[in-house]
Amino acid sequence: MSRKVLLIEDEPNIAEAIRFLLTREGWHVETHAEGLDAIQVIQGANPDLVILDVMLPGKSGMEILRDLRELEGMQDLPVLMLTARGQSRDREMAENAGVSRFMTKPFSNAEVLTAVRDLHAQATRS
Amino acid sequence: MATLNVLILVCLGYVVLLFGVAFAADRMAAAGRGAWLRSPLIYTLSLSIYCTAWTFYGAVGNAARSGLEFVTIYLGPTLVMLSWWWGLRKLVRVGRTQRVTSIADLISSRYGKSNTLAICVTILAVLGGTPYIALQLQSITLSFSIFAEADPSGLYREGSSVFWVAAGLAVFAILFGTRNLDANERHHGVVTAIALESVVKLFALLAVGVFVVWGVAGGIGPMMDRIDASEIGQWNVDAGRWTTFIFLSAAAFICLPRMFQVMVVENADEGHLRTAAWAFPLYLLLMSLFVVPIAVVGLDLMPEGSNPDLFVLTVPLSQGNDWLAMLSFIGGFSSATSMVIVTAMALSTMVSNHLVMPIWLSTQEGAGSVSGDVRSVVLVARRVSIAVIMALGYYYYRLSGGGAALASIGLVAFAGISQILPALVGGLFWRGATRTGALVGLTVGFVLWIYTLLLPGMGGAIMPDSVLQNGLFGWAWLRPQALFGIEGMDPMVHSVMWSLALNTAAFCAASLLSFPSPLERLQGAQFVNVFDHSVSPAGWTGSVAQSEDLMIMTQRILGSGPAQEFFQTEAEAQGGRSSLPEPTPGFLERLERELSGSVGAATAHAMIGQIVGGSSVSVEDLLAVADESAELLEYSSQLEVKSAELSRTARQLREANTKLTQISEQKDSFLSQVSHELRTPMTSIRAFSEIMRDTDGLSADEQTRYAAIIHDEALRLTRLLDDLLDLSVLESGRVNLNMGGDTLSSILDRAVSSALAGSHPKLKVRRTRQSERIPLHTDLDRLGQVFINLISNAQKYCDADEPVLTISAHDVGGQVVIDFADNGSGIPADAQSLVFEKFARVGGDKAGGAGLGLAICREIMQRLGGEISYLPGQGGAAFRVRLPMAHRQAAQ
């Protein structure tokens, strides 16, 4: 069965890079570039994993994550958050909002892959 | 015959003795061993400087010429001492409580510390005092010359001897009179020396008198017979002259600067006045006892035409009693020297305090602190003043030629100095007396004295006879010796009557008509009611005092801790069992002192007076309290001003702090934004470069595409850095404008082609070239940068199917206005105010800008003296650029 990842990122070049990496790992990658309707997109796509940017047009990744965790059946969905603002305050906020893993841009490709693998392994074990 | 040389030796010896006595007295006083120096006897003897050489020699001369009239000079002070000693006590008390240094100081202090008044009195005193000093020098010279005539071998030269006498007296006055800075401190050395001189002159006169009565006349009986036979013995009283002279001498006794010096300034104890009240009249009585006998015998013995002023000397001399003559000479010498020394001291204090110091201080204004110099300056000023006053006396003597003109100067000086009397007595007893009154009265009296007495007495050279005969300007009623047509009066009586009467009238009238300043009122109250304010130690009787009430009041003022401690200590000191002390006078006095430290002396006095009930609060107390309160109010209003200043400063600091915090937050957010803007392209670059490095078998297409992405993102980074740099230069104001001239249309031409170059020119630009023929003088590149930015923005963000940018230019009131409007959907209203902020990107565009373009445009337009703004309501996005026509502003 195919593993599905939903990538919510408004920078097209970054989205393309991640898509390239994860596709080669055997993931099915869907992308979205808007913040406002991100929750509905997540609910509709029903992914195994979400990669979420913080600075999104319309609604910030933090808010999306907070709202997402309120929803039924979304508490355990692995969410990997990416931000270009690498301040410790952002990491705290993300953790409070229920993030599964938090990464600062620019990242190395290996890091992203390891993180995605780990999160997926945890999710399937439990 | 005693030789002149012996006489000079004796004189020198006597002067050395005086120096020695003064020196020893100063030393003893400094060592605290001089209780007797402050005895009533010394005080009384020091008062006798009233008797100068003019009295010592002149009384006999006066008696020989005018009979008993000389007695008036003694009667005046005697009457003052016997009947007005309570008035003198008030004067002394005021002088002590106000720390008065001279009569000029007293008058000035009473009338609101007016230095104008002090200067008036000082000038009056110097004017009256200088001839008086000259008179003393003359007496010494005359007495010298008597001995010189008798001893032709002597090397006596009149001029030089007077000079050396004057110089010696100046040195003495400087040495012992200006030791202490505080003129209010007593000069024990000088006072003791003049007390000794008083004894010497009295002894000398008595010795001559005894010699005349018993040695020449042959006893009291024969003497009385001689007197009866002589004209002098006849009572021949001119009531006008007698009254005038008694009054004059009484007034002078109070007002003369040297009398004020010994009586008030040098007074150590008010109680001494009690002794002086009877002892001084006794001294005067002894001084006058033998005047008539000497005069009578002198007239009998001496050849016709000899000077009766010198009978005291010449009578013993003619009888071959050289040693008695020498004693008499020393007596006269004593009278002259003591007077000169004290006068010089008193006048120098006035001159230096009221003339020299104010002038010196005004020249020091702005020189910052002068405290360090003041002490030495005051001392130098006082010493120089003494020397100058002595020099004035000396030159006056030389100029007047020592002739008869001097002889009458004593009374003239009395009349002059008496002009102070109305202001002085009025000031002590009448609270309504004002500064203006004192000034007007003094001036009137002073002028009249000069016009009716001083000038006419100086002879034809100063005041022409025509004025004397026909009055000033020929107005008869202005004749100096017959003012307002009142003729036939004795000139002295005439002058004294008019000057003092008009002086007093003017003083009263001007006082009633003028309004005193608060300080004058306060000083007036303190002078007039000096006995109520300056509490003597036994002032309080606490029979009905309530210690508890006192305690409560004290707690309110001092705070409960210090108050309890104070009362505790007092109770323990009294040894009582109660924790509250008995309200003994001593305790109350200490309490008052304690309180006055906090609330001021007058308030403390009034408060304790209220509780103890010993005295009700008088109007004067209230006045004093009011004055203190006024000071407090003044102080508190100053505090209010200060506190307002402080809160203003605090507000400014708060505002500055808020601003700093805002700036700091803005800086943090800016850095965070910059970080974000840098990290985003770097993320793409890193990701794709890793992909290209780590991925085997990438297709050629993929490789090209990913390399292009890396290239684009690298360019984006460069642009961002360029923009940041540009913005920082513009914001810091360190930008150099490169001014040049061109028309708007060609600037737009270049901007349009530059903005649209290299991209597919989907955007259409619509212009009206007709309106663009406007010459501009500005930084053409910078203005072009703004235009390029606006055109590129339209190209990037205009979302119309067929995007069109309309550029239109107008000339509005000396300004060029250029509008850039596209036909897209525009910028949302809530974002319009933000578009010029840094990193403000509307709608999450991905067109490659970092959001710094419009911020840079705004900065540029500011530098160029124009502005850029968003134009709402134009359908699409619209920006308006304003620029001054033919702008010639230089780089800022």
Side-chain angles (χ1 to χ4, degrees):
Chain A
M1 133 169 188
S2 170
R3 297 161 292 175
K4 188 198 270 185
V5 62
L6 177 61
L7 173 59
I8 306 176
E9 166 65 75
D10 65 333
E11 273 291 325
N13 289 338
I14 296 175
E16 184 166 352
I18 294 173
R19 174 197 290 277
F20 178 87
L21 287 173
L22 294 185
T23 311
R24 283 173 61 90
E25 279 282 305
W27 285 86
H28 172 67
V29 179
E30 285 182 17
T31 56
H32 185 68
E34 273 295 321
L36 270 177
D37 55 351
I39 296 277
Q40 289 85 335
V41 174
I42 295 169
Q43 279 176 320
N46 191 24
D48 297 290
L49 190 135
V50 174
I51 298 178
L52 182 62
D53 185 22
V54 174
M55 299 268 277
L56 287 170
K59 189 173 181 180
S60 95
M62 293 291 177
E63 286 173 77
I64 296 169
L65 180 59
R66 225 172 282 136
D67 293 350
L68 184 71
R69 292 302 190 207
E70 303 270 308
L71 295 175
E72 187 93 12
M74 290 296 178
Q75 282 80 9
D76 298 327
L77 177 66
V79 175
L80 169 61
M81 197 169 244
L82 303 173
T83 178
R85 278 202 332 213
Q87 286 171 333
S88 56
R89 222 179 45 205
D90 293 327
R91 181 177 287 275
E92 271 171 43
M93 276 172 66
E95 271 159 13
N96 289 337
V99 78
S100 314
R101 186 72 68 98
F102 186 87
M103 284 176 63
T104 308
K105 295 174 183 175
F107 44 78
S108 80
N109 295 350
E111 273 180 293
V112 177
L113 289 174
T114 313
V116 168
R117 281 184 204 132
D118 285 357
L119 287 174
H120 182 60
Q122 279 171 19
T124 46
R125 249 200 319 275
S126 58
Chain B
M1 200 93 206
T3 65
L4 194 62
N5 293 337
V6 172
L7 187 75
I8 291 173
L9 272 183
V10 169
C11 260
L12 284 177
Y14 180 68
V15 170
V16 170
L17 175 73
L18 284 184
F19 270 77
V21 166
F23 186 70
D26 263 349
R27 287 290 291 271
M28 286 177 81
R33 285 183 293 113
W36 63 272
L37 293 174
R38 290 180 291 275
S39 69
L41 181 67
I42 298 281
Y43 180 69
T44 307
L45 286 174
S46 74
L47 288 184
S48 70
I49 55 157
Y50 176 75
C51 304
T52 65
W54 178 54
T55 351
F56 188 86
Y57 294 120
V60 173
N62 201 342
R65 277 188 291 262
S66 319
L68 285 173
E69 203 174 270
F70 79 93
V71 179
T72 53
I73 303 303
Y74 296 109
L75 276 179
T78 303
L79 282 176
V80 170
M81 270 301 183
L82 291 176
S83 64
W84 205 61
W85 70 273
W86 51 273
L88 291 182
R89 188 169 145 249
K90 189 164 194 178
L91 192 65
V92 169
R93 173 74 70 89
V94 165
R96 283 155 56 86
T97 53
Q98 298 283 321
R99 296 182 62 75
V100 156
T101 60
S102 66
I103 186 149
D105 193 27
L106 181 101
I107 297 282
S108 142
S109 183
R110 161 61 179 88
Y111 296 105
K113 324 220 162 173
S114 151
N115 203 48
T116 317
L117 265 177
I119 291 171
C120 280
V121 175
T122 302
I123 291 173
L124 191 65
V126 171
L127 224 58
T130 306
Y132 213 165
I133 289 175
L135 182 64
Q136 308 304 312
L137 296 177
Q138 184 198 31
S139 76
I140 294 174
T141 322
L142 277 177
S143 53
F144 256 122
S145 66
I146 291 296
F147 283 86
E149 279 164 23
D151 180 19
S153 67
L155 300 167
Y156 170 71
R157 284 207 316 280
E158 190 184 299
S160 64
S161 77
V162 174
F163 175 80
W164 289 114
V165 167
L169 293 178
V171 168
F172 187 91
I174 287 172
L175 271 186
F176 294 99
T178 61
R179 228 172 218 205
N180 306 313
L181 174 63
D182 189 353
N184 194 250
E185 269 179 25
R186 333 247 173 271
H187 305 91
H188 295 290
V190 174
V191 170
T192 313
I194 59 176
L196 174 69
E197 297 206 274
S198 300
V199 176
V200 169
K201 68 190 173 198
L202 180 62
F203 181 72
L205 203 59
L206 287 179
V208 174
V210 167
F211 169 74
V212 163
V213 174
W214 280 278
V216 179
I220 298 176
M223 187 70 239
M224 294 310 280
D225 294 341
R226 276 189 180 213
I227 293 173
D228 285 341
S230 133
E231 271 183 31
I232 301 173
Q234 310 305 311
W235 283 95
N236 187 13
V237 176
D238 175 338
R241 275 174 74 88
W242 275 63
T243 315
T244 306
F245 291 166
I246 289 175
F247 177 77
L248 259 191
S249 57
F253 180 69
I254 301 165
C255 297
L256 276 171
R258 66 171 194 277
M259 291 316 298
F260 191 86
Q261 180 80 27
V262 289
M263 189 156 45
V264 178
V265 181
E266 304 286 351
N267 177 278
D269 185 343
E270 272 170 45
H272 291 174
L273 269 175
R274 263 175 229 274
T275 310
W278 59 263
F280 185 63
L282 184 66
Y283 183 94
L284 292 181
L285 180 70
L286 291 175
M287 280 298 277
S288 57
L289 202 56
F290 291 108
V291 169
V292 173
I294 297 171
V296 170
V297 170
L299 283 175
D300 281 355
L301 284 183
M302 300 311 291
E304 193 80 7
S306 53
N307 188 351
D309 280 337
L310 294 168
F311 280 172
V312 182
L313 269 183
T314 49
V315 168
L317 217 49
S318 70
Q319 298 300 305
N321 201 332
D322 290 357
W323 290 107
L324 185 61
M326 196 166 291
L327 180 65
S328 160
F329 171 84
I330 295 291
F333 188 71
S334 286
S335 318
T337 51
S338 53
M339 178 275 174
V340 171
I341 289 166
V342 179
T343 303
M345 263 170 60
L347 290 181
S348 78
T349 305
M350 292 188 194
V351 169
S352 77
N353 282 8
H354 303 298
L355 291 177
V356 179
M357 289 314 288
I359 294 171
W360 184 79
L361 284 175
S362 70
T363 62
Q364 293 298 303
E365 233 171 282
S369 155
V370 292
S371 56
D373 301 316
V374 167
R375 195 193 138 75
S376 58
V377 170
V378 170
L379 280 180
V380 168
R382 216 166 272 172
R383 284 168 186 163
V384 171
S385 303
I386 287 179
V388 168
I389 286 160
M390 292 302 301
L392 280 178
Y394 173 71
Y395 279 107
Y396 191 94
Y397 163 75
R398 295 300 301 271
L399 286 178
S400 68
L406 263 182
S408 63
I409 205 76
L411 274 176
V412 175
F414 273 19
I417 208 72
S418 299
Q419 302 304 327
I420 301 174
L421 193 71
L424 178 70
V425 175
L428 282 180
F429 293 97
W430 182 33
R431 284 216 6 238
T434 70
R435 193 180 83 91
T436 315
L439 209 53
V440 171
L442 259 180
T443 312
V444 167
F446 191 42
V447 168
L448 281 173
W449 169 67
I450 290 179
Y451 185 67
T452 59
L453 198 59
L454 190 65
L455 296 184
M458 284 179 145
I462 310 271
M463 180 174 271
D465 278 346
S466 62
V467 175
L468 221 51
Q469 296 302 320
N470 305 321
L472 198 61
F473 313 120
W475 295 340
W477 59 274
L478 270 182
R479 273 173 292 168
Q481 294 179 338
L483 278 186
F484 308 112
I486 296 179
E487 288 181 65
M489 275 174 93
D490 180 272
M492 174 66 71
V493 177
H494 171 267
S495 167
V496 169
M497 184 198 84
W498 278 119
S499 62
L500 274 174
L502 292 182
N503 177 341
T504 310
F507 169 67
C508 294
S511 288
L512 289 173
L513 290 175
S514 60
F515 197 73
S517 71
L519 187 59
E520 273 183 78
R521 266 171 201 270
L522 180 73
Q523 287 294 94
Q526 297 217 323
F527 272 60
V528 175
N529 304 301
V530 65
F531 290 117
D532 304 335
H533 281 296
S534 55
V535 195
S536 46
W540 294 121
T541 47
S543 52
V544 289
Q546 297 292 318
S547 290
E548 260 175 61
D549 289 346
L550 286 172
M551 176 74 177
I552 290 166
M553 178 188 75
T554 311
Q555 279 180 334
R556 264 185 216 150
I557 295 171
L558 299 178
S560 82
Q564 269 163 7
E565 199 177 309
F566 179 78
F567 275 67
Q568 196 79 43
T569 317
E570 286 292 329
E572 277 165 21
Q574 288 182 0
R577 281 148 294 162
S578 157
S579 66
L580 284 174
E582 291 296 313
T584 61
F587 162 64
L588 291 175
E589 197 207 339
R590 281 188 292 280
L591 179 61
E592 183 180 332
R593 213 163 38 225
E594 194 77 18
L595 292 181
S596 63
S598 300
V599 293
T603 313
H605 185 68
M607 291 171 104
I608 292 185
Q610 256 329 17
I611 292 179
V612 174
S615 71
S616 60
V617 178
S618 66
V619 176
E620 291 73 36
D621 286 332
L622 287 178
L623 198 65
V625 171
D627 198 71
E628 270 168 10
S629 317
E631 271 173 30
L632 281 176
L633 271 179
E634 166 99 344
Y635 181 61
S636 93
S637 77
Q638 282 172 0
L639 279 182
E640 261 172 37
V641 169
K642 285 225 167 66
S643 132
E645 264 170 29
L646 274 178
S647 65
R648 196 160 56 239
T649 311
R651 201 177 57 239
Q652 285 167 346
L653 278 175
R654 254 198 320 277
E655 280 165 7
N657 190 39
T658 314
K659 210 165 188 173
L660 278 177
T661 314
Q662 272 175 2
I663 288 173
S664 165
E665 278 167 8
Q666 280 170 4
K667 191 199 74 186
D668 284 351
S669 120
F670 178 71
L671 282 177
S672 164
Q673 294 269 19
V674 169
S675 157
H676 180 263
E677 294 302 325
L678 288 171
R679 282 165 191 268
T680 303
M682 276 165 65
T683 308
S684 301
I685 292 170
R686 184 171 180 184
F688 282 109
S689 56
E690 283 186 12
I691 287 171
M692 290 175 79
R693 185 191 65 193
D694 300 338
T695 317
D696 299 326
L698 273 181
S699 71
D701 272 1
E702 276 174 327
Q703 283 197 10
T704 313
R705 183 174 149 66
Y706 296 162
I709 289 177
I710 291 173
H711 179 250
D712 284 352
E713 294 288 359
L715 283 184
R716 183 175 159 192
L717 262 181
T718 314
R719 261 201 319 276
L720 175 66
L721 289 175
D722 285 346
D723 283 358
L724 278 174
L725 213 58
D726 205 13
L727 192 64
S728 107
V729 168
L730 283 165
E731 278 187 339
S732 71
R734 287 192 305 262
V735 63
N736 287 319
L737 292 181
N738 200 0
M739 307 300 278
D742 207 342
T743 59
L744 178 62
S745 84
S746 54
I747 302 171
L748 279 171
D749 285 347
R750 287 196 295 273
V752 169
S753 60
S754 167
L756 301 182
S759 62
H760 1 277
K762 213 174 99 186
L763 181 73
K764 269 191 188 161
V765 178
R766 202 174 282 160
R767 291 164 61 186
T768 330
R769 294 195 170 270
Q770 202 68 16
S771 63
E772 291 173 3
R773 289 190 193 142
I774 301 173
L776 289 176
H777 184 86
T778 184
D779 186 322
L780 304 172
D781 291 341
R782 285 294 187 183
L783 188 60
Q785 191 182 347
V786 173
F787 293 164
I788 292 169
N789 210 297
L790 291 173
I791 299 165
S792 328
N793 276 356
Q795 193 188 351
K796 283 180 219 160
Y797 305 123
C798 182
D799 49 3
D801 294 337
E802 289 183 9
V804 176
L805 177 68
T806 311
I807 303 176
S808 53
H810 330 270
D811 169 358
V812 181
Q815 278 196 323
V816 188
V817 175
I818 311 135
D819 290 343
F820 296 78
D822 65 24
N823 59 345
S825 54
I827 297 172
D830 57 345
Q832 283 169 6
S833 60
L834 294 172
V835 288
F836 294 106
E837 298 302 321
K838 283 168 275 197
F839 302 111
R841 273 183 313 199
V842 180
D845 68 277
K846 283 291 139 284
L852 292 175
L854 285 174
I856 290 172
C857 287
R858 185 178 60 176
E859 289 296 329
I860 290 175
M861 289 317 297
Q862 259 175 27
R863 299 288 154 227
L864 297 183
E867 62 169 357
I868 182 170
S869 54
Y870 185 77
L871 265 187
Q874 300 293 311
F879 292 89
R880 167 164 288 183
V881 174
R882 285 172 180 273
L883 199 66
M885 190 89 82
H887 179 65
R888 288 181 185 283
Q889 188 182 350
Q892 288 176 2

